[in-house]
């Protein structure tokens, strides 16, 4: 770049000097030196381009292998590991694309330098401007590459935070289970009758309010089955902890417009897969009319009861199918 500026200045001096005192040999030496520098840069760029092409080929093959492995994954853990490696490989593929773009910008810059070197002295000033524009494009491409690397780091951090959150959730679930029965204070363990009574009372409340287990949030739906399992294992402390969690989940539920709408959506999906007889279809159609009327009038409790009767018919249809 410095040699090119010197060339431009020499050309300007030559045009201003009526006696043309500039030495042509000196200009030739400058041009030849510039040409050798450009050739060295072209060689270096070709080597980088070949290396990037090789990296891209290997990365494409790795992504293809991961995709095949993901389809054949035997368990959830293996699938999770493959998905994480595939995500990282795809992020690397994006970075590689940015590096290729940066390389192309540098090639353009070198080509501009080459044109500037070979240009006539009268056009050297304009060629220098082209070089500066190409250099600016190259810097912008490098800046984009750095931004892509920063985005990749941010994605990695987000994934780490997600992993930490999952571990914390697992620890919380483990702590919720409490210590094994043999390490608990026998005097603090609730009696079987107390647990059974509280469980029955909660189930009666669910029935009175017309709330099904499937109406609970997905993370709370297993609680009732876990309570029964803990009772069968005579782990009444754990059963009581689970009961308290289920009581809180039920207390948060409100049979309102949003609740009924969500339930209608779920039952529509179940209706599409259930094998129903003509009489069952007719009964569902009648109930749907009643549900629609109650929903329109804002009688959401009544609409919910009708949906529960539809759920029973659908369950019977699924069982018979």
């Amino acid at each position: 770049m410095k040699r090119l500026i010197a060339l431009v200045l020499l050309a300007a001096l030559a045009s201003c000097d009526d006696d043309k005192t500039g030495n042509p040999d000196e200009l030739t030496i400058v041009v030849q030196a510039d040409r050798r520098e450009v050739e060295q840069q072209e060689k270096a760029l070709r080597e980088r381009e070949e290396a990037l092409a090789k990296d891209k080929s290997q990365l494409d093959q790795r992504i293809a292998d991961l995709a095949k492995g993901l389809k054949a994954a035997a368990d959830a853990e293996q699938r999770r590991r493959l998905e994480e490696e595939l995500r990282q490989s795809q992020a690397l593929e994006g970075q590689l694309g940015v590096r290729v773009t940066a390389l192309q910008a540098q090639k353009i810059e070198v080509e501009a330098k080459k044109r500037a070197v070979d240009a006539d002295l009268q056009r050297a000033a304009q060629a220098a401007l082209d070089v500066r524009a190409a250099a600016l494009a190259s810097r912008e491409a490098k800046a984009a590459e750095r931004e892509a690397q920063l985005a990749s780091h941010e994605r990695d951090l987000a994934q780490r935070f997600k992993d930490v959150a999952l571990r914390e959730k697992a620890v919380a679930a483990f702590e919720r289970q409490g210590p094994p029965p043999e390490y608990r204070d026998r005097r603090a363990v609730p009696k079987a009758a107390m647990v059974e009574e509280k469980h029955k009372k909660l189930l009666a409340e669910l029935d009175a309010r017309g709330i099904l287990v499937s109406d609970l949030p997905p993370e709370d739906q297993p609680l009732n089955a876990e309570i029964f399992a803990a009772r069968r294992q005579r782990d009444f402390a754990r059963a009581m902890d689970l009961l308290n969690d289920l009581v809180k989940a039920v207390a948060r539920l409100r049979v309102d417009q949003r609740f009924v709408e969500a339930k209608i959506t779920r039952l529509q999906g179940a209706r599409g897969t259930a094998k129903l007889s003509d009489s069952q279809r007719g009964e569902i159609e009648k109930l749907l009319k009643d549900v629609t009327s109650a929903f329109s009038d804002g009688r959401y409790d009544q609409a919910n009861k009708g949906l529960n009767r539809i759920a029973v018919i659908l369950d019977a249809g699924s069982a018979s199918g």
Side-chain angles (χ1 to χ4, degrees):
M1 185 67 182
K2 291 180 180 179
R3 292 192 183 96
L4 187 58
I5 294 173
L7 181 62
V8 173
L9 292 175
L10 286 171
L13 288 173
S15 63
C16 294
D17 188 357
D18 294 335
D19 296 331
K20 300 185 186 290
T21 56
N23 191 335
D25 292 337
E26 292 178 356
L27 295 180
T28 302
I29 292 172
V30 171
V31 171
Q32 289 175 348
D34 284 342
R35 184 176 290 112
R36 284 194 298 270
E37 181 181 358
V38 169
E39 289 173 351
Q40 291 174 358
Q41 290 177 351
E42 285 181 329
K43 181 180 178 182
L45 286 175
R46 282 196 300 271
E47 292 174 354
R48 282 188 60 193
E49 190 173 25
E50 292 172 358
L52 283 175
K54 183 178 179 181
D55 290 346
K56 186 177 186 305
S57 176
Q58 293 175 351
L59 186 58
D60 289 343
Q61 182 61 44
R62 181 55 182 161
I63 290 175
D65 293 341
L66 287 172
K68 292 180 182 178
L70 189 60
K71 291 181 179 179
D75 55 46
E77 180 60 22
Q78 182 184 9
R79 185 177 183 87
R80 189 191 67 77
R81 289 198 302 269
L82 288 173
E83 287 177 344
E84 174 63 17
E85 188 173 355
L86 180 59
R87 184 191 66 77
Q88 293 177 356
S89 297
Q90 290 171 339
L92 288 175
E93 185 180 36
Q95 294 180 24
L96 191 62
V98 174
R99 289 171 60 191
V100 170
T101 301
L103 180 62
Q104 292 297 326
Q106 291 175 14
K107 287 178 66 178
I108 293 173
E109 180 183 3
V110 170
E111 287 295 328
K113 286 182 179 180
K114 188 175 181 180
R115 288 194 301 270
V117 169
D118 294 336
D120 295 333
L121 292 179
Q122 290 80 2
R123 300 175 57 192
Q126 184 60 45
L129 291 176
D130 293 340
V131 171
R132 285 197 292 273
L136 178 60
S138 177
R139 287 195 295 272
E140 291 177 349
K142 291 177 181 178
E145 182 178 5
R146 288 194 294 270
E147 290 177 358
Q149 291 174 349
L150 180 60
S152 176
H153 292 326
E154 290 176 349
R155 287 194 297 270
D156 291 341
L157 284 174
Q159 182 62 38
R160 291 175 189 172
F161 288 145
K162 182 179 179 182
D163 292 341
V164 169
L166 290 174
R167 286 195 294 271
E168 290 178 348
K169 184 177 180 181
V171 169
F174 179 79
E175 291 176 346
R176 188 177 66 183
Q177 294 178 1
E182 58 269 23
Y183 294 106
R184 291 179 179 143
D185 184 356
R186 297 292 180 181
R187 292 169 297 180
V189 175
K191 301 298 183 182
M194 180 189 302
V195 174
E196 182 180 0
E197 179 63 25
K198 186 171 183 177
H199 195 190
K200 286 182 178 179
K201 183 178 179 181
L202 179 58
L203 293 177
E205 179 187 350
L206 286 171
D207 185 63
R209 293 181 60 190
I211 297 175
L212 306 177
V213 172
S214 58
D215 293 330
L216 296 169
E219 64 272 16
D220 295 324
Q221 290 180 13
L223 288 174
N224 193 48
E226 291 174 1
I227 293 169
F228 278 112
R231 286 176 56 189
R232 286 195 299 271
Q233 297 167 4
R234 304 191 65 77
D235 188 354
F236 299 114
R238 171 167 165 73
M240 183 60 76
D241 291 340
L242 294 169
L243 263 172
N244 292 332
D245 291 340
L246 185 55
V247 167
K248 293 176 183 177
V250 172
R252 289 192 293 267
L253 281 182
R254 296 289 181 271
V255 180
D256 53 14
Q257 179 179 348
R258 181 177 297 179
F259 178 94
V260 174
E261 287 175 345
K263 196 165 191 172
I264 290 173
T265 301
R266 287 200 313 274
L267 292 180
Q268 284 177 340
R271 184 184 180 189
T273 58
K275 295 182 179 180
L276 303 173
S277 64
D278 292 339
S279 60
Q280 288 174 325
R281 289 194 188 91
E283 188 173 357
I284 287 177
E285 291 298 331
K286 182 178 180 300
L287 288 171
L288 279 175
K289 291 179 181 179
D290 296 338
V291 168
T292 302
S293 176
F295 183 83
S296 300
D297 295 340
R299 293 180 286 114
Y300 301 121
D301 286 331
Q302 189 65 29
N304 182 52
K305 291 178 181 179
L307 291 174
N308 286 345
R309 288 195 289 272
I310 292 174
V312 172
I313 297 174
L314 292 176
D315 288 341
S318 299
S320 63

